[in-house]
């Protein structure tokens, strides 16, 4: 009875030790390759949320924003107010694209400010047509952003899967290495 308990403890110890060693090897390998596995896992989650936000805006959010604004008024004070509200909505939408650029470390404050100044110029002139053209540009940028984020997410998922498979292989190999003395002892006794 004591021999069985002792043997089970050693088996459990080998499992835990081989798992810890495999984890250490994976983190060392990922560090040598310049990858931070915890950061990559967080990026996968963040990119999924950002893709959902972008797709929600593209599938109906933009139409709802425009529907809330109503029809374009003909009189100038009301038209200018409409243009300001439209520019604000476009600016909010382009914020999603800027989140994507931050994710790819391609964020440029100057280009974002240039876009904002351009839209402010359109609002001063009550140029709704140019604002609508700007909205179409933002829609294309959002579609492009969603595609880029999806590609990056797929790459990170493949990388995570490869590390999981490598972990399992290491775990099995290390477990067999740690337990080889018992395997050879059994074969010698037969």
């Amino acid at each position: 009875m004591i021999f069985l308990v002792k043997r089970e403890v050693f088996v459990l110890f080998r499992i835990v030790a081989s798992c810890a060693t495999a984890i250490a090897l994976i983190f060392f390998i990922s560090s040598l390759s310049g990858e931070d596995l915890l950061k990559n896992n967080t990026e996968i989650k963040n990119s999924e949320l950002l893709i959902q936000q972008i797709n929600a805006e593209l599938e109906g959010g933009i139409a709802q924003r425009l529907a809330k604004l109503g029809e374009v008024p003909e009189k100038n004070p009301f038209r200018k107010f409409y243009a300001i509200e439209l520019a604000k909505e476009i600016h909010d939408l382009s914020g999603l694209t800027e989140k994507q650029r931050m994710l790819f470390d391609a964020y440029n404050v100057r280009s974002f400010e240039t876009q904002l100044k351009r839209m402010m110029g359109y609002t001063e002139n009550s140029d709704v047509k140019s604002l609508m053209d700007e909205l179409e540009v933002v829609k294309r940028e959002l579609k492009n952003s969603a595609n880029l984020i999806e590609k990056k997410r797929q790459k990170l998922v493949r990388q995570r899967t490869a590390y999981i498979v490598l972990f399992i292989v290491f775990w099995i190999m290390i477990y067999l290495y740690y337990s080889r003395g018992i395997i050879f002892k059994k074969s010698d006794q037969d």
Side-chain angles (χ1 to χ4, degrees), residues 58-166:
L58 288 173
E59 290 172 0
I62 295 173
Q64 287 177 351
R65 288 174 186 250
L66 292 177
K68 285 181 185 176
L69 293 176
E71 292 184 21
V72 180
E74 294 297 322
K75 294 183 181 178
N76 196 13
F78 300 113
R79 188 175 179 91
K80 188 171 187 175
F81 177 73
Y82 182 88
I84 290 170
E85 288 297 316
L86 181 60
K88 187 177 109 180
E89 294 297 332
I90 294 170
H91 183 69
D92 287 345
L93 287 171
S94 62
L96 288 174
T97 306
E98 298 308 313
K99 284 183 185 179
Q100 174 263 335
R101 289 185 180 135
M102 287 178 197
L103 187 66
F104 284 97
D105 295 329
Y107 180 67
N108 187 351
V109 176
R110 292 187 194 271
S111 65
F112 195 59
E113 287 177 354
T114 303
Q115 180 192 22
L116 186 59
K117 285 179 184 177
R118 189 173 56 242
M119 286 193 302
M120 292 308 292
Y122 295 151
T123 59
E124 290 294 322
N125 300 331
S126 301
D127 191 358
V128 176
K129 183 187 179 317
S130 295
L131 284 171
M132 288 297 190
D133 292 341
E134 190 74 26
L135 179 64
E136 291 302 317
V137 169
V138 169
K139 282 182 186 179
R140 285 194 304 273
E141 285 179 354
L142 284 174
K143 288 177 186 175
N144 188 31
S145 295
N147 291 336
L148 288 173
I149 294 170
E150 181 61 30
K151 285 179 184 177
K152 182 173 183 175
R153 190 187 73 76
Q154 288 174 352
K155 176 186 167 202
L156 291 173
V157 168
R158 280 193 309 269
Q159 189 178 54
R160 180 177 66 183
T161 304
Y163 278 119
I164 289 171
V165 168
L166 188 61

